[in-house]
Amino acid sequence: MSRLLTLNLRIWRQDGPGASGAFESHRLEGVSADLSLLEALDVLNERLIAAGERPVHFDHDCREGICGSCGFLVNGQAHGPRPATTVCQLYLRSFADGTTLTLEPWRARAFPLVQDLVVDRSAFDRLIAAGGYCSVNTGQAPDGNALLVGQEQAAVAFAAATCIGCGACVASCRNASASLFVGAKLAHLAQLPQGQPERGRRTLAMHERMVVEGFGSCSSNLECEAACPKEVSADWISWLQRERRRARQS
Amino acid sequence: MSALPDPQLPAGHLADAWRRTREGLPLIAPARRGAFPLLVVGTGLAGASAAATLAEQGYPVTVLSFHDSPRRAHSVAAQGGINAARALAPDGDSVNRLFADTLRGGDFRAREAGCRRLAEISSAIIDQCVAQGVPFAREYGGTLATRSFGGALVSRTFYARGQTGQQLLYGAYQALMRQVEAGRVRLLCRRDMLDLITVDGVARGVVCRDLLSGALEVHLAQAVLLATGGYSNVYFLSTNALRSNASAIWQAHRQGALFANPCFTQIHPTCIPSGDPHQSKLTLMSESLRNDGRVWLPVRAGDERPPGEIPEQERDYFLERQYPAYGNMVPRDVASRRARELCLAGHGVGPGRQSVYLDLRDAIARDGRDRIAARYGNLLDMYERISGDDPYGTPLRIYPAPHYTMGGLWVDYRLMSSIPGLFVLGEANFSEHGANRLGASALMQGLADGYFIAPATVPAWLAGHGAPVLSPDHPACRAAVARVQARIDGLLGSGGRTPVDAFHRRLGRLMIDSCGISRQASGLRDGLAAVAALEQEFHAEVRVPGGASGPNPELEKALRVADFFGLARLMLRDALAREESCGAHFREEHQTPEGEARRDDEHFAHIAAWGHGRDTAEPILHREPLRFTELQPTTRSYR
């Protein structure tokens, strides 16, 4: 039998973008420590539904830390206290019995609130649309082995490419900057020979879109790296500044 | 409903049949393509790749996704890799061998022409993904690395650590976003497709619900492509993402699309087992772990000792014992069934004795912890987070879980369903995997459909059949919207007291018990009655809070679960009708004395394509016979 615990949840409730919001408190008793925090919210929602109240709205899907749907602040930290962990992979065994957890949505101008813990992150899609790709139509590809990529180099590109687009970097930055998100995509493609032809154009276009979408400048706090569930390195942000100079000069 | 259409299989030699077919397809001039708007539902590998490729060719494409971003589609979670026959390595792999493995792996319940085409296209998929910047693993010399994967005797699986699906999806997603930027794709997120619009039996559009405003929208096109994934969530607990659902294909089925082989569902042997009743999903551990992990159970039933205290001679490495040639690498269904049998016999470990050990001890001793961490690090970290156990020090506990559905909407060789103008791609169709899918073949099929097959066959159909796009106030559109509205009103007005999940959980238990790893006639018949009763109870007792306007995740769930009931009944019916054991479909009545599947080629070498019985309650079974020319059915043997 697994350990049971009591959780005090303070959850941001807001009906919609125009409505005013407030924290609402709920006490969950006797929940298994082997549940994830999202599963604890499932339990809470079943109780709210039975009581005829509106359940708490949060984005989620795969529940294994790869789709990037979930994400909110847990006691002020994006995705909660565990490093390299999305909130769906945050298990209650990380918390002491009787803990109070304050849950609130990502707060950033570029991520308008939808409801409760849900925000609109479509700005990330528009950043990718600005240039986060290699322009190659289906059927135009050369042989995959025509371009050799060293093992180390492939691993570096892969590490940058693992960003899941959850928005934790933006939410944890006091300027709500998307520099880590943009830096990671630029770095992924710039480390590979396939990414070279559009390298400069891509850098300038994605950076410009970041400003247009209302993301701030890098605050140099490195909170983004600490919050990133995929541990994308903030070194890519300083690299991004060099890339911009390089792109402007070419 | 509709009779079985001509499957449009190519004539002549299998090899090269796809090239010959393609060369015979009519084309549409580039300048005219703008007059053929298309609709793609779903943005996983199949949907994103098809939408991007068709838009590149100049077709205006509208894309619908229930996610907030196309990048979230569940393809993102595929771990292990993607097969391709590059035929360069000296281990003897070839297009022919991948074709044969696919057909044999599916236990001769797939069309050979489709399997052959898949093998022929596979290599071009890798090239395309590399060109997009997918960071595949590389050898020291810089060439693409491969590994051997679940049941294959050759090394043909390309991979990006344990996140191959993620990287392939991002490649397709980025190609899609490039077309959005170019103005050739209109991307509509947070939309649930809830019905199909047909006129004179031809697909003309869909009805979807805007998940933020709650508004019902009509989207019209010259052709509709469904790439909406599989239906493992009928079992409630599965490896699928929680919102993965069957509503698009199920509603298309209700509008006349035949549903093929619904009982062919794959149970994956290596998942993190269930514990608490509120556990929301079963997480897959890539079966690449079986390359290095040894599966075992205590010899003595009911052995309570921790694994470290069980001496070597009291461990039963049951897959190695029963299948010396393949050992831990036997196909998924075989591994799942053997694990279930031993757990039922009391040898299982962990809570409820519902798991088996997967032990990396010997691999760590042989290769060192660092190399194992380099190979599986992210998987093992995930295991540690979920289970709270250290997989480097103590064996992992795993158990089979529903993972993939081979069944789906019936399509012809050109991926068109029995409704003209409705194409079905990826896991949503019944495809080339027959009765069982090989590891690392789902990604291959999704991308073959999306990058290469549909972009050739959809325009060919449009060239001969395109009709002007309907007006949104056409009676067919109004009727479809009214059908959806009635379903929503029914759920909101039920006046019950029980949340949706409670019903879904019960449906899942019923289905895993009666139509899971092992099936038998009486269990299937009982299951049919129980699902029908549960469905009635659901409609009477469910409580869906809130209203139809604005965000309402409970209403989304209720609509999905309502559709799972009908599909569950069709699965049970199909499993009952298929009086043989083949691939992942194991009927206890049909086994050899050694407990192996007994296939019946004389009576069941066919695709079971079910029509929705609209006026009668009974679905109608059509049989598409399977013919084999290149490779004759043989009994699968992994002993």
Side-chain angles (χ1 to χ4, degrees), chain A residues 1-2 4 15 31-32 34-36 39 42-43 45-70 82-86 89-91 93 114-115 118-122 124-126 128-145 147-151 154-155 157-159 161-167 181 185 188-189 192 194 198 209 230, chain B residues 49 52-53 56-57 66-74 76-77 79 86 88 124 126-144 160-164 166-167 170 173-175 177-181 187 189-190 211-212 239-244 276-284 378 381-382 384-388 451-452 497-502 505 543-545 551-554 556-557:
Chain A
M1 194 62 201
S2 60
L4 299 180
D15 282 342
V31 287
S32 161
D34 288 333
L35 291 187
S36 68
E39 286 163 352
D42 292 340
V43 174
N45 278 346
E46 285 203 7
R47 293 183 194 176
L48 291 174
I49 293 162
E53 293 171 44
R54 183 169 71 74
V56 178
H57 196 182
F58 56 95
D59 266 328
H60 67 94
D61 199 31
C62 78
R63 301 226 176 169
E64 53 184 84
I66 195 71
C67 75
S69 298
C70 69
R82 276 199 66 158
T85 302
T86 54
Q89 296 284 285
L90 186 61
Y91 280 74
R93 67 177 79 89
V114 173
Q115 191 177 52
V118 178
V119 298
D120 175 358
R121 290 166 291 188
S122 56
F124 270 5
D125 290 329
R126 293 188 292 275
I128 296 295
Y133 39 75
C134 299
S135 296
V136 52
N137 284 356
T138 303
Q140 293 178 333
D143 184 289
N145 273 325
L147 297 168
L148 298 181
V149 181
Q151 200 173 59
F158 172 83
T162 56
C163 162
I164 56 174
C166 64
F181 176 81
K185 183 46 66 192
H188 157 212
L189 296 173
L192 295 172
Q194 304 90 302
E198 298 169 280
R209 188 67 58 91
K230 297 296 153 187
Chain B
S49 59
T53 303
E56 286 162 8
Q57 292 182 27
F66 69 71
H67 295 278
D68 70 321
S69 162
R71 68 184 299 149
R72 316 253 185 250
H74 189 56
V76 79
Q79 296 171 354
R86 307 274 293 183
L88 296 170
I126 302 299
D127 295 338
Q128 184 61 33
C129 297
V130 168
Q132 291 171 342
V134 170
F136 282 113
R138 299 280 176 155
E139 303 293 354
Y140 282 118
T143 52
L144 291 158
R161 197 86 63 95
Q163 291 161 239
T164 316
Q166 180 201 27
Q167 294 306 318
Y170 291 174
Y173 157 68
Q174 288 163 198
M177 294 315 293
R178 174 174 162 244
Q179 296 305 310
V180 171
E181 186 76 356
L187 173 65
C189 290
R190 295 198 194 260
L211 300 181
L212 295 186
T239 66
N240 282 16
L242 265 67
R243 299 166 79 213
S244 297
D276 189 273
H278 276 98
Q279 183 170 337
S280 56
K281 78 164 288 175
L282 300 170
T283 302
L284 176 75
N378 60 326
D381 291 349
M382 183 172 74
E384 191 275 330
R385 273 195 295 274
I386 294 173
S387 70
Y451 282 131
F452 295 107
R497 304 189 55 82
T498 310
V500 178
D501 280 350
R505 230 174 258 130
R543 167 175 284 180
V544 182
N552 190 344
E554 286 296 306
E556 295 168 26
K557 272 199 267 184

Side-chain angles (χ1 to χ4, degrees), chain B residues 11-36:
Chain B
H13 287 300
L14 270 191
D16 229 20
W18 169 237
R19 187 184 57 76
R20 282 182 276 117
T21 303
R22 220 177 41 204
E23 286 172 358
L25 294 175
L27 301 173
I28 295 177
R32 287 184 59 225
R33 292 177 192 165
F36 293 91

Side-chain angles (χ1 to χ4, degrees), chain A residues 79-119:
Chain A
H79 290 300
R82 276 199 66 158
T85 302
T86 54
V87 74
C88 66
Q89 296 284 285
L90 186 61
Y91 280 74
L92 300 186
R93 67 177 79 89
S94 301
F95 302 108
D97 190 21
T99 304
T100 297
L101 300 178
T102 299
L103 314 182
E104 48 186 327
W106 293 162
R107 302 209 189 263
R109 187 168 53 160
F111 291 165
L113 189 125
V114 173
Q115 191 177 52
D116 296 345
L117 303 176
V118 178
V119 298

